[in-house]
Amino acid sequence: MSRAVGVRPGAALGRVLVVIPTYNEADNVAPIVGRVRAAAPDVDVLVADDNSPDGTGVLADALAAADGRVHVLHRPGKQGLGAAYLAGFGWARERGYDAVVEMDADGSHAPEDLPRLLAAAGDADVVIGSRWCRGAKVVDWPLRRLLLSRCGNLYARLALGVPVADATGGYRVYRLAALDAVDLGSVCSQGYSFQVELSRLTHRAGARIVEVPITFAERQRGASKMSAMIVAEALWRISVWAVQDRRAARRRGVRGAGDARVRWP
């Protein structure tokens, strides 16, 4: 694999920020932040709240007031998961963090798995907490959700050539150098497709991506943000990216053949 990013094996991870997007997660924000702080005391936490009408942002402010490692980013309204993570990445970069973690607020991503993900990042640019690699476990999902996720990930892998089992997984560690190697300004997708797009872009940039098995559990409190529109967006965008990548590969092939003819003695 090309190593345009090129982490050194065993390289220190540095300062780590866990970004937790929230919208109407009043029942979950305090428990998830508390679990993160207990599982990984040396990391900082950023709650990126999209002006939740249920008071999630106010609760997050109280957590930040009581703990100097907890911070809150108040956003003007519901703009989507991808936009929240991009804002969190920018917040981390401005403050000199070396790595960021994506984590859902609903408890489906167990903070207790975080130390293993951070340890794996010592030899990787991107770490995905995977639901579909060997040793992973998914709890309390109906068969329809299982099939949808497995088939969607298989389609993403075959269509885009990204060699990961869980391209849609949202529990991740990124070194900032890996994010700086891609054009984040071009990213406009949300939900599942945001995770697939970041997988595609970092892979194309030469990042070393590794997967760590996790136990993924369905949320116990609050309402899921998943919808048919999010799934449809993901499938549509994956198809568009696949066509774009094949066209780009053909153009490179034509240019390469032309260059070869010019250079031929």
Side-chain angles (χ1 to χ4, degrees):
M1 176 188 294
S2 168
R3 298 306 309 280
V5 178
V7 63
R8 300 187 312 277
L13 197 55
R15 296 178 66 214
V16 178
L17 179 72
V18 178
V19 181
I20 305 178
T22 57
Y23 183 77
N24 285 350
E25 296 288 357
D27 291 336
N28 294 312
V29 64
I32 197 67
V33 170
R35 288 171 63 190
V36 172
R37 295 289 293 116
D42 293 333
V43 308
D44 289 355
V45 178
L46 175 68
V47 177
D49 185 64
D50 277 9
N51 197 25
S52 298
D54 71 346
T56 300
V58 175
L59 294 173
D61 283 337
L63 296 172
D67 187 341
R69 284 191 176 271
V70 178
H71 312 276
V72 185
L73 175 61
H74 291 282
R75 288 158 42 77
K78 189 176 182 182
Q79 300 173 31
L81 182 70
Y85 275 131
L86 291 175
F89 297 164
W91 195 96
R93 183 179 294 104
E94 290 170 1
R95 289 159 178 81
Y97 287 90
D98 302 291
V100 292
V101 177
E102 295 182 353
M103 181 184 292
D104 287 351
D106 60 13
S108 56
H109 298 151
E112 294 74 21
D113 286 332
L114 181 56
R116 293 192 297 111
L117 271 65
L118 296 176
D123 295 316
D125 301 298
V126 181
V127 178
I128 298 175
S130 178
R131 298 162 295 180
W132 305 124
C133 67
R134 179 172 297 180
K137 185 178 180 182
V138 177
V139 180
D140 293 334
W141 257 18
L143 180 61
R144 181 184 64 85
R145 288 284 300 274
L146 288 168
L147 292 175
L148 182 63
S149 181
R150 291 301 296 265
C151 292
N153 275 290
L154 178 61
Y155 178 56
R157 180 169 184 161
L158 294 177
L160 302 176
V162 178
V164 297
D166 196 357
T168 65
Y171 196 4
R172 302 185 173 202
V173 181
Y174 287 102
R175 288 182 179 267
L176 262 295
L179 296 175
D180 289 341
V182 303
D183 179 13
L184 291 179
S186 69
V187 176
C188 59
S189 50
Q190 300 294 331
Y192 275 1
S193 57
F194 174 79
Q195 307 298 356
V196 177
E197 186 168 12
L198 266 291
S199 299
R200 169 179 173 258
L201 292 175
T202 52
H203 172 64
R204 290 175 63 188
R208 174 172 168 77
I209 304 174
V210 302
E211 297 186 86
V212 172
I214 62 169
T215 296
F216 182 93
E218 180 69 326
R219 70 160 60 231
Q220 300 299 308
R221 296 180 296 271
S224 172
K225 310 301 190 296
M226 181 55 59
S227 68
M229 183 170 294
I230 289 174
V231 175
E233 181 205 14
L235 294 175
W236 174 73
R237 288 190 182 277
I238 290 169
S239 301
V240 170
W241 294 328
V243 171
Q244 291 174 344
D245 289 350
R246 281 157 177 75
R247 287 177 176 171
R250 283 199 296 270
R251 287 196 296 269
R252 288 194 300 269
V254 169
R255 286 198 297 269
D259 293 345
R261 286 193 294 270
V262 169
R263 293 194 300 267
W264 193 259

